[in-house]
Amino acid sequence: MSNAIEIAKRRTFGIISHPDAGKTTLTEKLLLFGGAIQSAGAVKNNKIKKTATSDFMEIEKQRGISVATSVMAFNYNGKQINILDTPGHKDFAEDTFRTLTAVDSVILVIDVASGVESQTERLMEVCRMRNTPVIIFINKLDRDGKEAFDLLDELEDKLKIKVRPLSWPIGMGDRFKGVYNIYKKELNLFSPNKTGISDDVQSISDLNSTEIDEIIGTDEAAELREELEIIEGVYTEFDRETYLSGEVAPVFFGSAVNNFGVQELLNAFCEISPSPRGRETDLKMVEPDDNKFSGFVFKIHANLDPKHRDRIAFLRIVSGKFERNTFYNHVRLGKKLKFPNPTSFMAQDKSVIDEAYPGDVVGLYDSGNFKIGDTLNEGEQFMFKGIPSFSPEIFMELENLDPMKSKQLDKGIRQLMDEGVAQLFIQQPGSRKIIGTVGQLQFEVISYRLEHEYGAKCRFVPRNFHKACWITTDDIAKLEEFKRAKARYLATDKDDNLVFLAETSFLLQTAEQDYPEITFHKTSAFKLEVAK
Ligand code: G4P
């Protein structure tokens, strides 16, 4: 039987935002609507507090909670919604980037007062790289913030995407009356409501109806009509295809903490967001309705108990049907594996499942077989592309403090890198280990975990690098010349690709100018092109 019905039901997406914009609150409200949780507060604990940079117990606790909430699945309006959680803390941005390879669309939360912030821009770059469809939710309308039109301009300008409002706010802060749902032609009236889950919705299809004046006031009604007229003049009609191709982002307004505009967002999401999409491999494009099972690992989570080394690998299913206790190809290792206890994440409970479909994420217990990016499939062997590494921003050389434990240290580092905690670069002579991360927190996590899980002690010595660039060229002679000139700044990554560690952006620019025959890649995504 074909899996078409199951596939058509699935909606797999991620919620992204700059910290504090309201991602956790919105996630929680969506789960309330989906009946996946009964009260607020269940997701809240998943946040790594901004102050907790040195609190290892806190990190450990968070790791535990974040396994449970890494994927949250629930049914709503006949759809199975899979929300893939992305860490808000900027030091875990890499994790978020990888998770974005496993979603089919994204909801981006923006704080009406702060507008587009730096982390939002970076996250959006990743979405653009993959043409991921994006819906924007402008949050905290119960507070004063930027004017809606200015905000839309800012979104287009900084996020480099066209926007199309599908709802429109009536006032904000103390004067916030609600939103007009352009998409459904309804007036949603605001009343602060932190617990209930229904909005006061008035269906008014005729904008000139005096009913609107009676409900929100004559001045407000006049302003609303005027603004809606401008919207129709300035923004092109919403077209689902341009949203699906990642060119246009529909915009909604609301207040997550007040449960306002959330159901409207969820309803629209169910109508317009994409069902599971195919993924590129080194051989061909694999579509969800291909009969043979395939999937890839986008996240690995270590077990909290150091006595049990097993980990959970998160597998996104791309095609076919995944079945428990069935042998599949582990393509990179060239061996067959089966999984007696695959888990799903319905309604926050982890439970063993017998089968899963494209768009689903299953947790596989792993004793060290998986690396991020690995492919599992049946039949013809191929590998999924598309989990690039980004240049780290902080570099440290790892020094072993206990020579008797160098084996443990090597093993620990290798496994932590497989989990994607950080990136390892090897420098010659002496095979020195340079660890690169996007945040300071990772170094604390690494030394803590090396000590507690592998019994190895290390220390980090700062190395003054600005960026790591993967380099490629067809000109072997130039490459040799470059290698001789820059030997001190060269290293290899985990796959033995050559990497240039530039000390400053100026030196990187100079190298690019001096060696036009060489391409300096800021992400490891070039491997995808090479493999094509
Ligand atoms: P994040 O995951 O994106 O980091 O944000 P989170 O949901 O934790 O929200 C950050 C803060 O913004 C929280 O306040 C939250 O209550 C508040 N918030 C979320 N949505 C709205 C909204 O629509 N209006 C207003 N006024 N505030 C909102 P906090 O003080 O940090 O936490 P808490 O003590 O309220 O839990």
Side-chain angles (χ1 to χ4, degrees):
M1 200 191 78
S2 114
N3 301 326
I5 295 171
E6 294 295 336
I7 297 169
K9 263 171 54 179
R10 301 294 193 276
R11 294 290 181 278
T12 303
F13 76 107
I15 304 180
I16 55 176
S17 75
H18 189 88
D20 266 348
K23 177 175 82 74
T24 315
T25 312
L26 179 65
T27 307
E28 197 156 83
K29 303 296 175 181
L30 293 174
L31 294 178
L32 277 172
F33 281 111
I37 55 171
Q38 266 62 52
S39 64
V43 185
K44 197 84 204 161
N45 298 332
N46 187 30
K47 287 181 65 173
I48 293 192
K49 294 202 181 64
K50 287 143 222 118
T51 50
T53 43
S54 298
D55 187 344
F56 298 118
M57 286 324 289
E58 189 63 20
I59 296 171
E60 287 296 282
K61 206 169 85 201
Q62 303 295 353
R63 283 176 51 212
I65 297 163
S66 70
V67 174
T69 55
S70 282
V71 184
M72 291 158 282
F74 61 91
N75 292 309
Y76 182 83
N77 273 1
K79 300 280 187 304
Q80 182 180 319
I81 316 270
N82 298 319
I83 306 182
L84 272 49
D85 191 36
T86 55
H89 198 294
K90 77 166 182 28
D91 287 7
F92 291 92
E94 234 356 84
D95 244 8
T96 300
F97 297 154
R98 285 191 295 256
T99 300
L100 289 180
T101 64
V103 303
D104 299 305
S105 71
V106 151
I107 293 181
L108 169 62
V109 186
I110 301 273
D111 180 330
V112 68
S114 321
V116 176
E117 295 167 273
S118 55
Q119 206 167 322
T120 327
E121 287 182 50
R122 292 194 61 190
L123 290 166
M124 198 51 212
E125 267 173 42
V126 179
C127 293
R128 270 203 313 274
M129 276 167 70
R130 311 184 58 251
N131 300 324
T132 309
V134 176
I135 295 179
I136 298 175
F137 181 72
I138 299 189
N139 191 27
K140 306 196 187 180
L141 264 290
D142 59 319
R143 288 211 187 139
D144 283 320
K146 301 187 178 184
E147 287 302 328
F149 281 116
D150 293 344
L151 206 48
L152 294 183
D153 287 346
E154 185 179 331
L155 289 169
E156 291 203 334
D157 188 39
K158 293 196 175 158
L159 300 181
K160 301 185 183 68
I161 186 166
K162 287 207 173 71
V163 297
R164 186 5 159 151
L166 287 188
S167 82
W168 195 250
I170 304 164
M172 69 170 73
D174 290 344
R175 294 164 296 105
F176 184 50
K177 295 271 170 64
V179 297
Y180 182 74
N181 184 334
I182 300 172
Y183 191 54
K184 291 274 178 232
K185 300 201 176 2
E186 283 168 353
L187 202 57
N188 294 19
L189 297 175
F190 175 69
S191 58
N193 172 8
K194 298 199 170 150
T195 47
I197 56 168
S198 61
D199 292 344
D200 179 3
V201 180
Q202 314 255 341
S203 173
I204 301 177
S205 50
D206 179 8
L207 259 183
N208 292 319
S209 156
T210 52
E211 231 183 307
I212 300 185
D213 299 64
E214 282 156 29
I215 300 170
I216 62 171
T218 311
D219 291 349
E220 285 85 351
E223 196 180 347
L224 174 66
R225 289 186 189 107
E226 201 180 306
E227 290 181 340
L228 290 175
E229 206 173 306
I230 298 176
I231 291 172
E232 297 314 319
V234 172
Y235 297 97
T236 40
E237 193 73 20
F238 174 68
D239 163 42
R240 184 167 179 240
E241 287 313 310
T242 53
Y243 153 69
L244 290 178
S245 60
E247 288 161 63
V248 175
V251 180
F252 290 84
F253 292 83
S255 169
V257 79
N258 288 298
N259 248 321
F260 185 75
V262 177
Q263 187 162 24
E264 179 190 36
L265 174 73
L266 183 57
N267 289 341
F269 172 82
C270 286
E271 267 183 50
I272 65 174
S273 68
S275 54
R277 304 173 124 194
R279 295 285 189 281
E280 280 272 343
T281 72
D282 54 353
L283 271 192
K284 58 177 185 180
M285 184 76 189
V286 171
E287 298 294 346
D289 56 4
D290 288 357
N291 280 336
K292 299 257 188 260
F293 156 76
S294 68
F296 64 91
V297 173
F298 65 94
K299 179 181 177 116
I300 293 177
H301 224 293
N303 197 315
L304 278 185
D305 182 352
K307 287 187 223 75
H308 296 99
R309 278 287 165 70
D310 54 342
R311 314 183 284 184
I312 299 178
F314 289 76
L315 179 88
R316 149 86 200 216
I317 296 168
V318 179
S319 66
K321 180 158 91 170
F322 171 89
E323 287 176 286
R324 188 156 84 97
N325 270 329
T326 305
F327 277 103
Y328 294 121
N329 307 317
H330 184 311
V331 180
R332 179 177 56 84
L333 295 183
K335 65 181 183 186
K336 299 236 179 216
L337 296 178
K338 66 173 180 173
F339 303 91
N341 299 308
T343 52
S344 79
F345 302 87
M346 279 305 273
Q348 288 230 309
D349 289 329
K350 281 198 285 154
S351 53
V352 173
I353 45 126
D354 290 318
E355 54 190 38
Y357 297 90
D360 285 342
V361 172
V362 291
L364 305 175
Y365 285 95
D366 167 42
S367 51
N369 283 315
F370 286 116
K371 276 190 195 187
I372 284 182
D374 276 347
T375 299
L376 267 190
N377 76 355
E378 62 182 335
E380 184 185 26
Q381 305 214 357
F382 50 74
M383 287 214 208
F384 284 103
K385 302 175 180 180
I387 304 209
S389 304
F390 292 79
S391 174
E393 281 154 26
I394 307 177
F395 297 85
M396 303 253 192
E397 183 164 345
L398 180 122
E399 280 187 11
N400 185 2
L401 290 182
D402 183 354
M404 302 296 287
K405 295 280 168 63
S406 36
K407 262 202 179 140
Q408 284 87 335
L409 184 92
D410 280 350
K411 181 169 181 202
I413 278 292
R414 216 176 40 245
Q415 294 206 343
L416 292 181
M417 298 306 124
D418 288 354
E419 276 178 41
V421 175
Q423 292 180 57
L424 174 68
F425 303 102
I426 302 288
Q427 263 202 316
Q428 301 303 345
S431 296
R432 290 175 322 224
K433 296 183 176 67
I434 312 287
I435 308 277
T437 69
V438 287
Q440 197 65 38
L441 195 51
Q442 258 76 354
F443 292 103
E444 305 188 26
V445 172
I446 294 170
S447 51
Y448 179 83
R449 289 191 54 194
L450 280 177
E451 185 170 345
H452 289 82
E453 292 172 31
Y454 300 91
K457 278 207 165 75
C458 71
R459 117 182 134 131
F460 290 106
V461 183
R463 292 292 303 267
N464 192 20
F465 295 126
H466 157 74
K467 275 232 150 57
C469 293
W470 286 264
I471 57 179
T472 53
T473 181
D474 294 330
D475 191 333
I476 305 295
K478 268 287 164 206
L479 182 64
E480 288 309 315
E481 184 188 322
F482 181 76
K483 277 162 104 175
R484 276 194 302 278
K486 305 282 179 193
R488 283 173 53 206
Y489 306 105
L490 293 181
T492 45
D493 75 358
K494 61 178 182 347
D495 301 321
D496 259 345
N497 295 299
L498 200 56
V499 175
F500 175 53
L501 300 169
E503 278 184 311
T504 62
S505 63
F506 174 74
L507 287 174
L508 176 56
Q509 263 178 14
T510 321
E512 284 177 314
Q513 279 159 14
D514 292 350
Y515 295 90
E517 306 80 2
I518 294 179
T519 318
F520 296 76
H521 307 267
K522 310 289 183 308
T523 78
S524 69
F526 72 91
K527 284 187 246 168
L528 314 179
E529 283 131 41
V530 172
K532 241 181 185 174

